[in-house]
């Protein structure tokens, strides 16, 4: 206080690399906490970059170049379905799927031939199969050979689809969308190597103003003008994408490429939302991130601006508030609404339920096919015996088997005679306990011998039970008899491993003893119980469902794939919602995190926690239909966790006065490891492809290694 001879001073921490120490600003910086760029300097990627006359003049050339690139992209994204570069052949005009079916049939024939090769067929059949494969492969090569540059474009599109390149690029772009914000979101002075990798990733985040050239061209823009550009350009792009579709909707709905053009617009629209969402959301929410400097609160994104929250009637505050509703809140709501509108959740539940029921019926048949009754039913043959002729043929087969079992021609068979017959016919699964239970059920007079009438009744019952369920029924196809059978069956409640007499490990099902709590006269109640039981067994691991993919098996599913497939097609059916979760993760990591323990090590710890949770969740469910994509996503999340942990260590060391300023060899090693971890994500898909089990490169590599190691 001045009346006692001293004044009170406040110390404020500068942004990363803004100050040199001793209250001195870095080159090109001035103003409060050195957060403002001087004249002829522009803010680019958190640093003030010099914008001389030469730099500005050179940057002007970016506009015509970018204009040409954007026109080319606009054509391929929006106009190519309406005005294609290549015209379909007359055969494709008549049958658009002719080429696809020819390729599939070629692949199928090769697969069949390979299977015969493994089965050890005769040499003559081998020659026939191989010649057929050669003919089909040659036909495939001739059909798929690109004709000119137009054919090469078509071939490139086929390669992109075959190798999931779109989904790979989606993961890589999503990685850099998050990691490129580490420069501005956290108060860390990153090493030069890591800084450059993170900084150039901003291109994939569509934050071009983060680069010196574009930032110099906009250095005289006010913060409000810049925000308006960021929030208006996405809407303008959507309108441009909609132009071909709007033309057909208004003028020519009978155009042969009408559906393809509309589908392309929706697909491009979803992809554009994916691209712009993190950047525009971050720009919008940073309007509410201010720093209190004693007498005044300034906007951290631009220290020339007063905090908009202190003037809620200002244009900046109103525009930012509206932008928050449109982008950070509106886009996830729109995407979830589109998924719901195209009935994706219901279709996913139906596909999963259908697969679970199929696995449940398969388990039922497997459990029943291990006992002697089902083995005997398979030996006897027969069907549902609907007609009189079928019943007569079944009776004749039963009489023939009965006579062969009755070795002493006594007119009846005992348990020993049946055991001898089963062993003679090598019918597996028989044991004395099962035979005793069967005898007790069908030996009506209790004399220990089955006459033909009793034997015929036994075969009739076990045959009906064996053919009751085929395993291909849907829930709607199940009859009351089938539902009752499924509800009263003793299903496994758990699975454990056990040892058989020959020391081989096999699976042991522990069956339930409780009766089902369901009305066996109510078909709908039984159907609900069956599906509930299937889901519970899947959770317990009793039912192992395969990877479910979207295949367009229904018209509604195909429409959803064509229009908004970008949102869910790469994921397994049961994880259709994963894209929405990813969007919220990106929102937290790029925008919300700046409000959490700002500028402290706890902020980095919070970001690392969010990334770790996402990593564990992804490892647990592996949501992608392609296992390589799941591995790539796990690698991306792991790289971000390690990078944030490295940033946390850097920030803690920078605040420790005792920590040496010079870097040791270990520090440099860790720096280069983190740099390579972030940079190498671009090369991981290539490594996955080359090292895949079906890769030609891996086959040659294994052969070469084998040749090298054979002498030893």
């Amino acid at each position: 206080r001045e009346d006692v001879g001293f004044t009170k001073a406040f110390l404020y921490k500068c942004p990363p690399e803004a100050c040199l120490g001793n209250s001195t600003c870095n080159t090109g910086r001035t103003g409060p906490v050195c957060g403002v760029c001087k004249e002829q300097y522009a803010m680019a990627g958190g640093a003030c970059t010099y914008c001389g006359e030469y730099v500005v003049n050179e940057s002007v050339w970016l506009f015509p170049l970018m204009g040409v690139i954007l026109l080319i992209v606009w054509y391929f994204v929006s106009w190519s379905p309406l005005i294609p570069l290549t015209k379909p052949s007359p055969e494709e005009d008549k049958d658009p799927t002719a080429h696809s079916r020819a390729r599939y049939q070629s692949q199928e024939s090769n697969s069949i031939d390979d299977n015969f090769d493994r089965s050890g067929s005769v040499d003559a059949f081998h020659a026939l199969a191989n010649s057929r494969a050669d003919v089909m492969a040659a036909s495939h090569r001739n059909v798929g050979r690109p004709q000119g540059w137009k054919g090469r474009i078509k071939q490139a599109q086929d390669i992109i689809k075959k190798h999931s390149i779109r989904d790979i690029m989606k993961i890589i772009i999503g990685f850099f969308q998050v990691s490129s914000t580490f420069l501005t979101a956290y108060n860390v002075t990153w090493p030069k190597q890591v800084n450059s990798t993170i900084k150039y990733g901003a291109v994939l985040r569509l934050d071009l103003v983060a680069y010196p050239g574009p930032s110099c061209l906009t250095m005289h823009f006010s913060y409000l003008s810049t925000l308006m550009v960021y929030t208006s350009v996405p809407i303008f792009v959507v309108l441009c994408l909609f132009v071909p579709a709007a033309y057909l909707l208004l003028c020519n709905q009978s155009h042969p490429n009408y559906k393809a053009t509309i589908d392309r617009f929706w697909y491009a629209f979803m992809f554009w939302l994916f691209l712009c969402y993190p950047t525009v959301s971050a720009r919008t929410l940073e309007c509410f991130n201010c720093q209190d400097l004693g007498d005044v609160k300034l906007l951290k994104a631009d220290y020339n601006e007063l905090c908009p929250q202190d003037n809620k009637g200002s244009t900046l505050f109103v525009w930012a508030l509206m932008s928050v509703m449109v982008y950070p809140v509106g886009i996830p709501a729109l995407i979830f609404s589109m998924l719901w509108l195209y009935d994706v959740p219901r279709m996913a539940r139906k596909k999963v339920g259908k697969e679970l029921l199929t696995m449940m019926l398969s388990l039922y048949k497997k459990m029943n096919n291990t006992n002697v009754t089902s083995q005997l039913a398979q030996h006897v043959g027969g069907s549902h015996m609907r007609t009189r002729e079928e019943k007569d043929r079944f009776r004749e087969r039963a009489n023939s088997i009965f006579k062969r079992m009755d070795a002493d021609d006594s007119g009846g068979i005992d348990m020993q005679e049946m055991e001898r017959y089963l062993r003679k016919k090598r019918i597996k699964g028989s044991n004395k306990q099962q035979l005793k239970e069967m005898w007790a059920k069908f030996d009506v007079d209790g004399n220990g011998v089955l006459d033909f009438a009793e034997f015929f009744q036994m075969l009739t019952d076990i045959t009906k039970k064996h053919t009751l369920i085929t395993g291909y029924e849907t829930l709607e196809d199940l009859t009351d008899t089938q539902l009752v059978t499924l509800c009263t069956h003793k299903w496994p409640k758990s699975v454990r491993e056990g040892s058989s007499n020959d020391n081989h490990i096999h699976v042991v099902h522990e069956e339930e003893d409780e009766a089902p709590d369901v009305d066996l006269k109510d078909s709908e109640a039984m159907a609900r119980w069956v599906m509930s039981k299937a889901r519970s067994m899947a959770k317990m691991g009793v039912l192992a469902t395969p990877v479910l993919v979207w295949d367009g098996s229904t018209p509604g599913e195909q429409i959803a794939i064509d229009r908004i497939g970008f949102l869910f097609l790469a994921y397994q059916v049961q994880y259709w919602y994963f894209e929405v979760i990813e969007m919220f993760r990106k929102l937290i990591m790029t925008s919300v995190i700046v409000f959490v323990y700002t500028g402290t090590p706890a902020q980095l710890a919070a970001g690392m926690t969010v990334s770790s949770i996402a990593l564990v969740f992804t490892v647990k469910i592996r949501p992608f239909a392609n296992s390589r994509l799941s591995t790539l996503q796990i690698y991306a999340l792991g790289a971000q966790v390690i990078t944030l942990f490295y940033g946390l260590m850097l920030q803690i060391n920078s605040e420790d006065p005792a920590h040496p300023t010079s870097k040791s060899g270990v520090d440099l090693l860790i720096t280069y490891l983190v740099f390579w971890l972030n940079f190498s994500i671009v090369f991981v898909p290539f490594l996955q492809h080359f090292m895949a089990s079906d890769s030609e490169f891996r086959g040659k590599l294994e052969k070469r290694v084998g040749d090298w190691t054979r002498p030893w």
Side-chain angles (χ1 to χ4, degrees):
R1 297 201 314 256
E2 295 182 0
D3 57 345
V4 295
F6 64 88
T7 58
K8 188 175 182 180
F10 294 91
L11 297 177
Y12 299 99
K13 191 171 184 178
C14 298
E17 300 184 359
C19 300
L20 297 176
N22 298 324
S23 301
T24 304
C25 294
N26 206 339
T27 304
R29 287 183 174 270
T30 185
V33 295
C34 301
V36 179
C37 293
K38 292 181 179 179
E39 191 69 23
Q40 295 297 317
Y41 284 83
M43 185 68 69
C48 289
T49 305
Y50 177 68
C51 297
E53 184 176 347
Y54 172 78
V55 176
V56 175
N57 292 335
E58 288 294 319
S59 300
V60 171
W61 290 99
L62 289 174
F63 286 99
L65 178 61
M66 291 180 61
V68 173
I69 295 175
L70 290 176
L71 285 175
I72 296 174
V73 172
W74 188 29
Y75 166 77
F76 281 103
V77 170
S78 296
W79 290 95
S80 57
L82 185 60
I83 311 175
L85 288 175
T86 59
K87 293 184 178 180
S89 62
E91 292 78 8
E92 290 179 341
D93 281 336
K94 297 177 182 178
D95 185 4
T97 64
H99 175 67
S100 299
R101 287 190 292 102
R103 183 174 62 181
Y104 171 75
Q105 291 170 357
S106 174
Q107 295 172 349
E108 183 184 31
S109 68
N110 293 335
S111 175
I112 293 174
D113 294 339
D114 290 341
N115 290 336
F116 278 123
D117 185 39
R118 288 191 296 267
S119 64
S121 302
V122 295
D123 295 339
F125 191 83
H126 269 315
L128 178 62
N130 292 333
S131 63
R132 178 190 173 202
D134 293 339
V135 171
M136 296 299 294
S139 175
H140 172 56
R141 287 195 297 269
N142 293 331
V143 172
R145 183 177 299 165
Q147 302 294 331
W149 64 275
K150 296 180 180 180
R152 294 186 184 279
I153 292 176
K154 177 64 177 175
Q155 186 185 40
Q157 293 174 344
D158 294 339
I159 292 175
I160 289 174
K161 293 179 181 179
K162 178 181 178 181
H163 297 286
S164 303
I165 295 180
R166 291 178 182 174
D167 299 321
I168 292 173
M169 291 303 301
K170 185 177 176 182
I171 295 175
I172 294 176
I173 291 173
F175 170 79
F176 284 108
Q177 282 178 334
V178 174
S179 62
S180 61
T181 62
F182 291 174
L183 294 178
T184 56
Y186 304 103
N187 190 19
V188 178
T189 302
W190 299 93
K192 181 179 179 180
Q193 298 84 354
V194 180
N195 187 301
S196 60
T197 305
I198 295 175
K199 181 178 179 180
Y200 288 110
V203 173
L204 299 178
R205 197 164 57 95
L206 298 184
D207 192 4
L208 299 180
V209 182
Y211 283 84
S215 63
C216 289
L217 295 176
T218 59
M219 64 180 176
H220 297 298
F221 283 21
S222 66
Y223 182 79
L224 176 61
S225 300
T226 305
L227 179 63
M228 286 183 172
V229 171
Y230 267 91
T231 54
S232 300
V233 167
I235 299 175
F236 174 74
V237 172
V238 171
L239 294 177
C240 292
L241 295 174
F242 186 60
V243 170
Y247 164 73
L248 293 181
L249 284 171
L250 297 175
C251 303
N252 192 3
Q253 295 190 15
S254 60
H255 194 281
N257 294 333
Y258 171 80
K259 181 181 182 301
T261 304
I262 299 298
D263 293 344
R264 179 64 65 85
F265 162 71
W266 280 109
Y267 202 93
F269 177 48
M270 294 296 132
F271 181 68
W272 175 244
L273 293 183
F274 162 79
L275 284 179
C276 70
Y277 176 71
T279 300
V280 181
S281 297
R283 284 282 178 173
T284 301
L285 289 175
E286 72 180 10
C287 297
F288 304 96
N289 187 21
C290 302
Q291 184 172 357
D292 189 354
L293 298 178
D295 297 335
V296 64
K297 290 179 67 176
L298 299 179
L299 188 64
K300 276 191 172 183
D302 188 346
Y303 283 94
N304 290 312
E305 294 285 344
L306 295 174
C307 185
Q309 298 179 66
D310 294 339
N311 186 8
K312 293 182 172 56
S314 63
T315 305
L316 178 57
F317 180 82
V318 175
W319 188 272
L321 192 61
M322 291 190 302
S323 300
V324 168
M325 300 306 298
V326 172
Y327 291 102
V329 177
I331 290 181
L334 174 64
I335 286 180
F336 194 81
S337 300
M338 294 300 297
L339 291 169
W340 202 269
L341 178 65
Y342 280 93
D343 217 12
V344 174
R346 187 194 64 82
M347 289 189 296
R349 289 194 301 269
K350 186 174 181 180
K351 289 178 75 71
V352 172
K354 181 180 178 181
E355 186 63 27
L356 286 177
L357 179 62
T358 301
M359 299 302 296
M360 186 179 188
L361 298 179
S362 177
L363 177 61
Y364 170 83
K365 292 184 68 64
K366 183 177 180 180
M367 294 178 67
N368 283 277
N369 286 345
T370 58
N371 54 44
V372 64
T373 56
S374 295
Q375 294 290 327
L376 188 57
Q378 292 178 356
H379 175 67
V380 175
S383 62
H384 295 289
M385 296 176 287
R386 298 184 181 90
T387 64
R388 185 175 184 84
E389 290 77 7
E390 291 176 344
K391 293 179 180 179
D392 291 341
R393 286 196 296 269
F394 180 79
R395 190 177 187 88
E396 291 176 1
R397 287 196 299 272
N399 187 34
S400 175
I401 293 173
F402 181 82
K403 289 180 179 180
R404 289 198 293 271
M405 283 188 181
D406 186 13
D408 56 2
D409 294 328
S410 62
I413 55 175
D414 56 22
M415 193 177 303
Q416 289 74 22
E417 288 177 323
M418 178 171 283
E419 286 181 336
R420 286 195 297 269
Y421 179 82
L422 294 177
R423 286 195 299 269
K424 181 180 179 182
K425 295 298 181 181
R426 298 181 180 179
I427 296 178
K428 301 178 181 180
S430 62
N431 58 64
K432 288 187 176 295
Q433 183 60 33
Q434 291 178 350
L435 289 176
K436 288 180 180 179
E437 293 176 357
M438 186 169 58
W439 235 256
K441 180 177 181 181
F442 295 102
D443 185 13
V444 179
D445 52 15
N447 61 354
V449 177
L450 296 181
D451 57 24
F452 178 73
E454 295 170 334
F455 179 75
F456 180 74
Q457 184 61 43
M458 179 190 72
L459 292 185
T460 302
D461 288 353
I462 64 176
T463 302
K464 286 183 178 180
K465 181 180 180 182
H466 178 71
T467 59
L468 177 64
I469 293 177
T470 64
Y472 299 100
E473 294 87 353
T474 63
L475 189 63
E476 294 78 11
D477 297 335
L478 291 175
T479 63
D480 289 347
T481 303
Q482 292 172 324
L483 288 171
V484 170
T485 302
L486 294 175
C487 290
T488 55
H489 182 68
K490 291 185 177 181
W491 296 103
K493 59 182 178 180
S494 62
V495 178
R496 59 182 176 86
E497 290 185 347
S499 299
S500 58
N501 294 331
D502 54 358
N503 295 325
H504 287 86
I505 302 299
H506 65 286
V507 175
V508 179
H509 298 285
E510 297 181 355
E511 298 182 356
E512 294 181 337
D513 297 327
E514 300 83 2
D517 185 16
V518 62
D519 185 1
L520 299 180
K521 296 181 180 180
D522 188 344
S523 301
E524 295 183 359
M526 287 191 293
R528 289 194 298 268
W529 186 91
V530 168
M531 291 310 305
S532 175
K533 187 64 180 176
R535 293 189 183 95
S536 65
M537 287 194 295
K539 290 181 179 178
M540 293 185 296
V542 177
L543 296 181
T545 57
V547 174
L548 297 180
V549 297
W550 300 94
D551 53 5
S553 55
T554 63
E557 182 179 336
Q558 188 60 53
I559 291 175
I561 290 174
D562 292 338
R563 297 194 173 181
I564 61 171
F566 178 82
L567 301 177
F568 64 89
L569 190 58
Y571 306 115
Q572 297 183 47
V573 171
Q574 58 268 42
Y575 303 122
W576 59 269
Y577 52 83
F578 192 77
E579 186 66 28
V580 180
I581 295 178
E582 270 292 282
M583 294 193 73
F584 279 114
R585 181 185 71 86
K586 293 176 185 177
L587 178 66
I588 294 173
M589 294 298 297
T590 60
S591 306
V592 178
I593 200 69
V594 300
F595 300 98
V596 181
Y597 305 111
T598 307
T600 65
Q603 184 186 24
L604 282 155
M608 191 172 63
T609 301
V610 173
S611 298
S612 300
I613 293 174
L615 175 61
V616 172
F617 181 66
T618 305
V619 170
K620 180 177 177 60
I621 68 172
R622 299 186 70 89
F624 289 90
N626 188 331
S627 61
R628 298 183 192 176
L629 296 177
S630 293
T631 303
L632 182 61
Q633 177 74 358
I634 292 170
Y635 180 90
L637 291 172
Q640 289 177 351
V641 171
I642 295 174
T643 303
L644 290 173
F645 180 76
Y646 175 64
L648 177 62
M649 297 298 100
L650 289 176
Q651 188 171 12
I652 293 175
N653 291 337
S654 66
E655 296 178 356
D656 183 7
H659 189 270
T661 56
S662 60
K663 289 187 176 181
S664 64
V666 176
D667 293 335
L668 290 175
L669 177 62
I670 296 175
T671 298
Y672 279 106
L673 286 175
V674 174
F675 158 74
W676 178 248
L677 193 64
N678 285 269
F679 182 70
S680 62
I681 189 173
V682 181
F683 303 100
V684 171
F686 295 98
L687 182 63
Q688 288 179 311
H689 175 69
F690 290 142
M691 299 308 296
S693 59
D694 57 347
S695 172
E696 182 180 357
F697 173 83
R698 178 173 177 175
K700 292 181 178 179
L701 181 63
E702 290 178 346
K703 184 178 184 301
R704 184 64 58 86
V705 172
D707 294 340
W708 287 343
T709 57
R710 189 173 293 113
W712 292 277

